[in-house]
Amino acid sequence: MTIYYAIFGLALGIVIGNVCPYSMPPEYGRLLAVAVMAGLDAVLGGVRAAIEDKYSTAIFISGFFTNGIMGALLCYFGAMLGIDMYMVAVLIFGMRIFQNIAIIRREYMAK
Amino acid sequence: MIQRFRMDFKANIIIALVFMVLGFMLTVQFKTTERQRNIRIERVEDLSERIRTIEAEKTQLQKELADLRKNYGNLISDAEVERLNLLAGTSEVYGPGLEIVLDDSTSNKKMGENPNLYIVHDEDLLRILNELRAAGAEAISVNDQRIGAMSELRCAGPTVSINNVRSAPPYVIKAIGDPKTMASALRLRGGVVDTFAFWGINVKIHDTDKVVVPGQKITRAYEYAKQSPTPKEENKK
């Protein structure tokens, strides 16, 4: 059941995003990119936790929002200080995404 | 797999919300990237379009110019054309005259003295031009820029701008006129060349039988000055 809710939510989000007339000013594009990476990481982490029977809604929600917001904030301050936090955030989130995918795949194969 | 988790309605709604946020962010990010790409492409297209129109305009104008030149030959005599060209300084001319080469001073600078005193300035060139004109020069060019009725000669940082073209030392001034009169005007005691010699600025004056002075490319249209009616035209009315 849950997966239908997820797909429905995703579709609704895409529709809203398309209808919404605003788009990010280019200088903040990177911050949003980091937030998107964090979101993907949190979602895959949630799926993995579900497969491992450790899923908790509170952890999932808090992880999704804090990772996204903190990632974007760190990048913002990093840019002010001349530190390319963007690279670091993308690298870490990317690594975690791949790790999560690998674990999900293994769990699937095992069952 | 996931069907194993029977979650309550609230949790499902929250998950839907989270995915909605994710979908929204993905779309906005996609649109942002897309727009940036489009802006770049649009700019290139815009510029190439402008080049195309301007080039078409240019060929059109060149055609027009050729046509006008053809007709203009019929309206006025060749002698008149030559006289007007000489007056306007738009054609290459030759004749006896002077070739003056002016370069920055090579003498050792004294400590604490302004190095500006040892280099050629726009004012020095202007003084020479003035002297040459006073001595009856008919056509003058500085570094192959013809000095015409509307030519400027001014300081442009380390260079001098003449007809909006910058040139650097050495300055080669060519003047057509009576060589002897012009040379003696320049070499007058206490005159221009004397002053330069004091600062060590190099001046070389050659008088030659044939100096070639290039014509001025006039690209300027008269916007403000309008011809007043001449008495002849008034009589016609």
Side-chain angles (χ1 to χ4, degrees):
Chain A
M1 273 317 283
T2 310
I3 195 153
Y4 297 119
Y5 279 93
I7 290 169
F8 173 73
L10 193 65
L12 194 67
I14 290 172
V15 168
I16 292 174
N18 265 322
V19 170
C20 174
Y22 303 108
S23 75
M24 288 297 265
E27 60 265 35
Y28 295 125
R30 292 188 146 197
L31 302 187
L32 192 63
V34 168
V36 167
M37 291 289 276
L40 278 174
D41 168 52
V43 165
L44 285 166
V47 172
R48 175 189 152 190
I51 286 169
E52 289 175 344
D53 274 338
K54 287 192 289 195
Y55 177 79
S56 143
T57 309
I59 291 176
F60 176 58
I61 305 284
S62 62
F64 183 85
F65 287 107
T66 42
N67 273 2
I69 292 168
M70 281 309 290
L73 274 179
L74 268 179
C75 280
Y76 181 69
F77 289 120
M80 285 170 97
L81 297 174
I83 307 164
D84 234 348
M85 285 302 283
Y86 168 78
M87 296 286 182
V88 179
V90 168
L91 185 72
I92 297 296
F93 284 130
M95 270 169 66
R96 285 180 49 157
I97 286 170
F98 281 115
Q99 238 167 29
N100 284 335
I101 288 172
I103 288 167
I104 290 165
R105 182 171 49 85
R106 268 179 223 173
E107 293 279 339
Y108 242 117
M109 303 284 236
K111 297 213 168 148
Chain B
M1 289 303 314
I2 294 169
Q3 283 91 325
R4 282 199 291 145
F5 305 97
R6 298 254 168 238
M7 284 195 252
D8 56 351
F9 183 67
K10 212 173 111 191
N12 278 339
I13 288 295
I14 286 172
I15 283 173
L17 269 174
V18 165
F19 271 91
M20 198 183 83
V21 172
L22 185 69
F24 177 73
M25 287 198 304
L26 275 172
T27 337
V28 170
Q29 178 68 6
F30 179 75
K31 269 165 64 182
T32 309
T33 327
E34 186 84 334
R35 202 186 51 165
Q36 266 172 294
R37 200 176 300 135
N38 283 349
I39 285 170
R40 239 170 269 146
I41 292 168
E42 268 167 30
R43 178 131 183 85
V44 169
E45 277 173 356
D46 187 42
L47 287 175
S48 51
E49 180 59 38
R50 265 163 65 186
I51 288 179
R52 237 173 282 140
T53 44
I54 286 169
E55 269 175 357
E57 209 173 300
K58 194 185 119 196
T59 43
Q60 172 68 27
L61 285 171
Q62 273 174 340
K63 235 180 255 168
E64 225 169 274
L65 183 68
D67 282 356
L68 285 173
R69 282 233 169 98
K70 236 180 260 167
N71 297 334
Y72 152 100
N74 301 336
L75 290 175
I76 11 177
S77 68
D78 286 352
E80 184 76 0
V81 171
E82 199 185 321
R83 199 182 73 89
L84 287 173
N85 268 332
L86 280 174
L87 279 174
T90 49
S91 58
E92 194 182 89
V93 289
Y94 68 92
L98 293 183
E99 208 178 279
I100 305 153
V101 182
L102 214 68
D103 204 352
D104 292 346
S105 174
T106 46
S107 65
N108 290 330
K109 291 166 189 91
K110 287 172 199 114
M111 282 288 286
E113 226 168 352
N114 190 353
N116 270 334
L117 295 170
Y118 292 94
I119 61 172
V120 181
H121 287 281
D122 49 330
E123 283 167 22
D124 304 329
L125 291 168
L126 284 170
R127 283 178 66 198
I128 290 190
L129 293 188
N130 210 21
E131 208 60 57
L132 287 171
R133 283 233 166 106
E138 288 171 0
I140 309 171
S141 73
V142 179
N143 278 6
D144 283 345
Q145 286 298 320
R146 177 71 168 267
I147 307 298
M150 287 197 299
S151 299
E152 91 288 7
L153 195 157
R154 65 187 285 270
C155 184
T159 57
V160 163
S161 158
I162 307 151
N163 289 345
N164 271 325
V165 176
R166 288 174 175 213
S167 48
Y171 299 104
V172 180
I173 303 173
K174 291 176 186 167
I176 296 177
D178 181 16
K180 272 183 195 153
T181 318
M182 292 194 296
S184 50
L186 291 174
R187 288 201 180 106
L188 219 67
R189 182 164 296 186
V192 192
V193 176
D194 245 16
T195 332
F196 291 158
F198 181 72
W199 295 111
I201 288 170
N202 294 311
V203 192
K204 283 179 206 121
I205 303 176
H206 309 282
D207 49 352
T208 43
D209 291 342
K210 196 189 174 197
V211 180
V212 179
V213 173
Q216 191 187 1
K217 290 172 199 75
I218 292 202
T219 48
R220 188 181 161 140
Y222 282 78
E223 282 176 60
Y224 302 103
K226 296 273 181 297
Q227 178 103 41
S228 304
T230 55
K232 212 169 104 190
E233 278 175 336
E234 273 174 341
N235 287 345
K236 271 184 199 165
K237 275 175 193 171

